[in-house]
Amino acid sequence: MRNPYPNTAMECAAVNGSNQMLNQIEWAGMTTGLLGSALLALKLDVSGYGFVLYLVSNVFWIYAGRQRGSTALMAMMICYSISSLYGIYRWMLVT
């Protein structure tokens, strides 16, 4: 098993760099999810784009879950992605 604690300055920099990128991806997922919720809540003609923002958010969170080894987070976001795709289908193709 790999030692979870970095031994050298180079390993430490690599861990910090990957954690920083992962944190940015999580913030992007949070931001797009909140914007999607706000857009849907406004009930405007363009509110259906909220489902697109949800889908983008889900992709960010699936990636973050995979990197963190969180199967539950990935499973939840895959289910949310299906819901988002259905919302996009209903908004763009049915109505």
Side-chain angles (χ1 to χ4, degrees):
M1 185 170 154
R2 186 179 175 275
N3 180 4
Y5 303 104
N7 294 323
T8 65
M10 196 170 205
E11 286 179 351
C12 189
V15 169
N16 287 337
S18 64
N19 281 339
Q20 184 179 18
M21 186 182 86
L22 193 52
N23 285 337
Q24 290 173 346
I25 287 170
E26 289 173 343
W27 277 102
M30 184 274 306
T31 303
T32 53
L34 286 177
L35 289 173
S37 293
L39 199 53
L40 285 172
L42 291 173
K43 294 187 177 184
L44 302 171
D45 290 341
V46 295
S47 287
Y49 284 110
F51 290 114
V52 175
L53 288 173
Y54 277 156
L55 190 59
V56 171
S57 173
N58 296 340
V59 170
F60 284 132
W61 283 111
I62 289 168
Y63 178 81
R66 181 174 168 89
Q67 293 302 311
R68 296 218 188 267
S70 178
T71 307
L73 177 62
M74 289 184 345
M76 181 174 64
M77 289 302 139
I78 289 169
C79 292
Y80 283 167
S81 294
I82 293 167
S83 174
S84 297
L85 288 169
Y86 181 68
I88 291 168
Y89 166 78
R90 295 269 324 238
W91 173 67
M92 290 183 142
L93 301 177
V94 175
T95 56

